[in-house]
Amino acid sequence: MNVEIIAHRGFSAIAPENTLAAFELAIASKANSIEFDIQLSADSVPVIFHDATLDRITGFSGKVREQNLSQLQKLDAGKWFSDEFSGQKIPTFAEALVILKKVDKFLYFDVKPHCEWSDSEVADFVNSLQGAEIQHKCVITSFSEQFLAQVRRVDGDLAIGHIVANLEAYKTQLSQAVAHGDNLISSQYRILLENPALIQESRSQGVDIVAWTVDDPEDMQKLIDLGITRIVTNCLIGFF
């Protein structure tokens, strides 16, 4: 069975998450795909960053959405992880594309639900994917139903995935995926281990499954034995 190994926020076990260094190391380590988080700066530039606030990663107090790009790029997004990565910046999506284009299989965009996008901001974002000629590699995932609906209106052909973190949400979002013709659920992996019947139930309705975030080799093997072929991990090493 061919398993697609998806680097969670890049190779985030050995480099600061969502940085160019983490993406480069993921590709060098032969990850098949990369997952990363995306939201907007105050001046509507898509940037790669997980949290709504900057504190944990940069030590700066404030929200990503309230800072202009010029302010965000003065911050250090690597030093918190180790001095070796001091100076890593919060990358824009455009900057990261130079590296991400090299990914073999897919780019999984986790669009943060705490960041609301206008229709024009979504259109600009989708157009940038088309302009870079990478739309065939892109999977747009989000907890935000509103954002997914906005993407569908702009480009009905982009692959869309629903992120779920508990069993109740899984059942609800599976129905949503089927109703909209979306072909993916990105599920917290323990839901699948505890409810393996969901796997066949989903696939019988044309919806495939990504399992996140799996760092225990035993759990990974259990998922593979259940037929899961798309797995998000921080660790990468030892899974090839």
Side-chain angles (χ1 to χ4, degrees):
M1 182 187 298
N2 288 327
V3 178
E4 178 191 348
I5 298 295
I6 305 163
H8 183 236
R9 306 179 194 172
F11 197 162
S12 53
I14 65 167
E17 64 183 59
N18 285 321
T19 60
L20 300 185
F23 299 152
E24 288 172 338
L25 285 165
I27 291 170
S29 301
K30 300 192 179 347
N32 305 114
S33 302
I34 293 180
E35 181 269 0
F36 53 90
D37 303 288
I38 195 161
Q39 54 186 300
L40 294 172
S41 66
D43 45 350
S44 301
V45 179
V47 294
I48 298 179
F49 199 83
H50 177 273
D51 300 358
T53 58
L54 292 153
D55 313 51
R56 177 176 69 91
I57 297 293
T58 70
F60 178 84
S61 181
K63 293 183 177 180
V64 176
R65 190 64 158 118
E66 294 174 355
Q67 312 299 317
N68 287 331
L69 179 64
S70 60
Q71 296 169 296
L72 291 175
Q73 295 211 303
K74 290 174 184 173
L75 304 176
D76 192 318
K79 187 174 175 58
W80 71 275
F81 190 88
S82 76
D83 287 342
E84 176 190 354
F85 293 102
S86 181
Q88 285 286 313
K89 302 301 183 188
I90 297 172
T92 66
F93 174 60
E95 289 168 341
L97 253 183
V98 177
I99 299 166
L100 294 173
K101 276 185 170 183
K102 301 173 187 174
V103 165
D104 181 41
K105 287 196 173 179
F106 296 109
L107 302 173
Y108 292 86
F109 297 71
D110 182 350
V111 182
K112 308 320 292 179
H114 51 250
C115 176
E116 291 191 6
W117 299 52
S118 68
D119 288 344
S120 63
E121 287 168 337
V122 174
D124 287 345
F125 167 65
V126 171
N127 289 337
S128 75
L129 306 182
Q130 297 165 340
E133 299 183 340
I134 58 161
Q135 62 269 37
H136 61 288
K137 285 188 174 183
C138 296
V139 182
I140 311 301
T141 72
S142 184
F143 280 109
S144 170
E145 285 294 308
Q146 176 182 327
F147 183 84
L148 297 181
Q150 288 172 293
V151 170
R152 281 190 209 97
R153 287 196 293 270
V154 178
D155 185 347
D157 293 328
L158 269 178
I160 284 179
H162 298 248
I163 308 176
V164 297
N166 59 62
L167 179 58
E168 183 179 355
Y170 193 108
K171 293 178 176 178
T172 302
Q173 292 305 310
L174 177 58
S175 297
Q176 287 289 321
V178 172
H180 290 293
D182 301 331
N183 61 3
L184 192 74
I185 279 194
S186 184
S187 174
Q188 204 284 333
Y189 81 93
R190 294 191 188 280
I191 300 170
L192 303 169
L193 291 181
E194 294 165 5
N195 305 275
L198 289 173
I199 299 168
Q200 181 55 35
E201 182 182 345
S202 302
R203 288 187 175 148
S204 69
Q205 298 178 80
V207 179
D208 200 11
I209 302 158
V210 167
W212 57 267
T213 299
V214 192
D215 290 335
D216 183 322
E218 288 186 15
D219 286 338
M220 182 171 281
Q221 190 57 56
K222 287 176 187 175
L223 289 162
I224 292 170
D225 291 344
L226 287 171
I228 295 295
T229 59
R230 305 166 85 168
I231 297 177
V232 179
T233 180
N234 293 303
C235 295
L236 297 176
I237 289 174
F239 293 145
F240 296 99

